Amino acid sequence: WRIEHAQVVLPDYYDRVSKLGVISSMQSSHAVGDSKWAEDRVGAERIRNAYAWRSILDAGGRLLMNSDLPGEPWEPIQTLYFAVTRKTLEGTPAEGWYADQALTVDEALQAMTSTGAYAAFQEAHLGSLASGKRADFVELDRNPRSVSVDDLKDIKIVRTWVAGVVVAEDGAAK
């Protein structure tokens, strides 16, 4: 089971989904985009339980992150940047919007890969690099684990691999 757009929830949500094994699916771009108006609409108290990725993980829940394409125009590397910084592409707010709910790079990558495969019942074939799996992955120009979080948005995809075969190089399909 999974809840799509699990963005504004009740305070007991985290323990309930953890105990039930329900996946919380969200889009990091929504938190950043909605930050301009969300608190005005849901209120100062309810906003503490909105876009609360850290609270889900800390309760032992599973978090799935995606771009929500075509609803949002973000690239996967931007999904990673938003999840880790909770800032716009322009770097605002400087401290990140409710930064206490931000993810680490590793948590965001897991939410974008292996949890997505698990949610689609495809973890035996997708979501990680392992013998016997499809080998769908991207090669990046820098390691997201070793750059400044503010530089995550500038990482470029060098090659895209599908089933172990290069299908795009430098952003162009082969």
Side-chain angles (χ1 to χ4, degrees):
W1 295 100
R2 109 188 199 189
I3 298 175
E4 193 65 42
H5 300 291
Q7 294 173 177
V8 181
V9 299
L10 296 171
D12 68 341
Y13 174 84
Y14 315 107
D15 288 333
R16 287 187 300 132
V17 295
S18 177
K19 287 177 186 163
L20 294 170
V22 173
I23 300 163
S24 299
S25 177
M26 282 187 260
Q27 297 68 36
S28 59
S29 60
H30 288 178
V32 173
D34 297 357
S35 67
K36 298 169 191 74
W37 53 262
E39 189 164 347
D40 287 339
R41 298 209 181 137
V42 303
E45 185 176 326
R46 289 182 63 212
I47 200 68
R48 298 302 303 159
N49 289 303
Y51 316 92
W53 314 322
R54 166 74 33 231
S55 295
I56 291 166
L57 292 181
D58 286 352
R62 284 188 183 253
L63 178 65
L64 168 61
M65 278 283 170
N66 62 72
S67 67
D68 200 35
L69 286 171
E72 293 280 350
W74 310 119
E75 298 172 13
I77 202 68
Q78 293 169 332
T79 296
L80 175 65
Y81 169 79
F82 297 143
V84 173
T85 67
R86 294 179 68 102
K87 297 178 187 183
T88 67
L89 292 174
E90 294 74 36
T92 60
E95 67 284 352
W97 187 63
Y98 289 97
D100 61 317
Q101 291 295 331
L103 302 177
T104 67
V105 169
D106 284 335
E107 289 167 339
L109 289 171
Q110 180 176 353
M112 294 171 65
T113 57
S114 61
T115 303
Y118 175 82
F121 304 99
Q122 296 182 2
E123 68 271 22
H125 309 287
L126 302 170
S128 63
L129 292 176
S131 180
K133 290 192 175 186
R134 287 184 44 96
D136 295 350
F137 64 96
V138 293
E139 181 182 338
L140 306 174
D141 69 345
R142 287 173 279 166
N143 182 345
R145 292 180 176 108
S146 61
V147 301
S148 156
V149 295
D150 288 325
D151 291 336
L152 287 171
K153 68 183 179 308
D154 301 318
I155 292 175
K156 302 292 183 231
I157 296 173
V158 176
R159 287 180 198 83
T160 302
W161 301 71
V162 176
V165 176
V166 175
V167 297
E169 251 183 285
D170 296 322
K174 288 185 104 180

